[in-house]
Amino acid sequence: MAFSTVTVQVPATTANLGPGFDCLGVALNLYNCFQFTQNEASATPVDITVNGEEAAGVSTASDSLIYRAFAHLYDHFGQSPPPVKITIDLGVPLSRGLGSSATAIVGGLLAANKLAGNPLENQDLLQLAIALEGHPDNIVPAFLGGCRLAVPTNKGWEICEIPWSENLVPVVAIPNFELSTQQARLVLPSQVSRDVAIFNASHLGLLLRAIETGRGNWIKLGMQDQLHQPYRQQLIPNYTDVESAALSAGAYGVAISGAGPTLLAITSFGDAENVAQEMQSAWEKAGIKAQVMPLEVSKTGASIKTNN
Ligand code: HSE
């Protein structure tokens, strides 16, 4: 059946969670919504409208990520994409380490696949989305929901769901400045020692058990990382102050969300509001405005609605 309008809602994600660099992420209940209307009669290939506070930061030209992802599905089959009107309702802050690019890639590919009559299974779409982004840790939870570990194999990515304990609350502290993932990757060393590899492997193993069991003392230890955070902290003003404020207010652990600059704290339900307030005031004391909020894990991931 051919659909002329497809709407895709895709959740924000927080990746890495400390030691799970480029392999672990969790979907959060903040969403971008993308509506695609196929218009065969249109003379322009794409017409993009963006709504939301940060709308000015999104390209409305044919180089925009959402359209590139949409067109990529058709390119994959050696076809030209149909003319399309795209309306974006932004709910995920841009360039803050909350997976806004992944929402565009997942949204564009899912919509194109639906409008093209479902030529690809979800499993293949997911592999295509990971290849477009370059790493799986935002894409996979944005697509599938929940907390996911992605493991490279010689046949693509093996995905494992990590059960998220009902006792754990993700709190995000989103400062009002951007940090590009590219810049945050440039500061990382290209090689690490065996000691660092062992440190991260052991802490990630512990973190996965901690997430499943909700054991706070394991979260605290398990969120430690030596692969990327020591290098990225310098890109986030007052990182140490905000981390200390969260830990003093009862957070189990704090990590940079994705490539930053958002910080993620994991807390109990009882401490979540207090942790959020203390993180916000720590940044405010340094003159940095931040939006800080306890969130929920989005269990369902990307969802599609169609209208004829
Ligand atoms: N794992 C990635 C990074 C997340 O930390 O650079 C950003 O997409």
Side-chain angles (χ1 to χ4, degrees):
M1 184 175 204
F3 297 98
S4 56
T5 296
V6 171
T7 307
V8 190
Q9 179 181 270
V10 191
T13 43
T14 180
N16 302 330
L17 290 98
F21 180 69
D22 275 4
C23 61
L24 181 67
V26 57
L28 302 171
N29 65 333
L30 285 180
Y31 298 91
N32 279 342
C33 200
F34 307 98
Q35 187 182 72
F36 294 74
T37 301
Q38 188 169 323
N39 180 4
E40 297 293 354
S42 173
T44 46
V46 60
D47 170 10
I48 302 178
T49 305
V50 190
N51 304 314
E53 267 179 43
E54 298 189 350
V58 177
S59 165
T60 54
S62 59
D63 68 347
S64 80
L65 187 54
I66 185 76
Y67 182 67
R68 283 192 281 130
F70 178 81
H72 189 73
L73 189 281
Y74 292 89
D75 291 347
H76 183 76
F77 291 104
Q79 295 170 5
S80 301
V84 67
K85 177 173 166 46
I86 306 174
T87 305
I88 305 174
D89 290 313
L90 282 181
V92 180
L94 303 171
S95 297
R96 300 300 211 299
L98 288 167
S100 60
S101 305
T103 69
I105 291 172
V106 169
L109 285 173
L110 276 171
N113 195 54
K114 184 60 100 176
L115 287 169
N118 292 320
L120 289 184
E121 301 286 337
N122 274 354
Q123 177 54 30
D124 298 322
L125 274 178
L126 183 59
Q127 304 288 334
L128 209 55
I130 296 171
L132 258 187
E133 173 87 334
H135 25 85
D137 47 342
N138 290 120
I139 290 285
V140 175
F143 198 118
L144 301 173
C147 183
R148 306 274 171 169
L149 179 71
V151 178
T153 77
N154 55 11
K155 289 192 214 131
W157 293 89
E158 179 72 23
I159 309 302
C160 172
E161 180 163 19
I162 309 298
W164 182 276
S165 163
E166 295 294 334
N167 300 324
L168 299 177
V169 181
V171 174
V172 290
I174 312 167
N176 68 347
F177 60 89
E178 298 186 358
L179 176 57
S180 81
T181 299
Q182 193 191 9
Q183 187 193 349
R185 290 179 87 83
L186 279 176
V187 300
L188 305 183
S190 53
Q191 295 195 319
V192 296
S193 68
R194 179 158 56 185
D195 285 349
V196 167
I198 294 168
F199 183 97
N200 266 60
S202 57
H203 284 75
L204 177 57
L206 182 66
L207 180 63
L208 299 182
R209 285 292 292 146
I211 288 172
E212 187 168 0
T213 57
R215 274 180 64 165
N217 60 329
W218 282 357
I219 294 275
K220 192 180 192 100
L221 186 57
M223 283 178 86
Q224 293 181 26
D225 153 79
Q226 289 186 350
L227 264 186
H228 66 112
Q229 299 201 146
Y231 308 97
R232 286 173 164 175
Q233 285 170 18
Q234 56 182 302
L235 303 174
I236 304 174
N238 305 94
Y239 172 90
T240 316
D241 300 334
V242 181
E243 178 188 46
S244 304
L247 294 173
S248 303
Y252 295 136
V254 177
I256 299 173
S257 177
T262 292
L263 300 186
L264 165 76
I266 299 183
T267 77
S268 65
F269 272 93
D271 288 327
E273 288 294 342
N274 193 29
V275 166
Q277 275 171 20
E278 293 300 318
M279 291 175 92
Q280 182 148 28
S281 38
W283 250 328
E284 266 171 14
K285 273 185 208 150
I288 295 172
K289 284 214 172 88
Q291 234 189 319
V292 188
M293 59 196 125
L295 292 175
E296 290 171 20
V297 171
S298 168
K299 292 184 179 149
T300 47
S303 59
I304 306 191
K305 279 191 227 146
T306 49
N307 297 98
N308 274 316

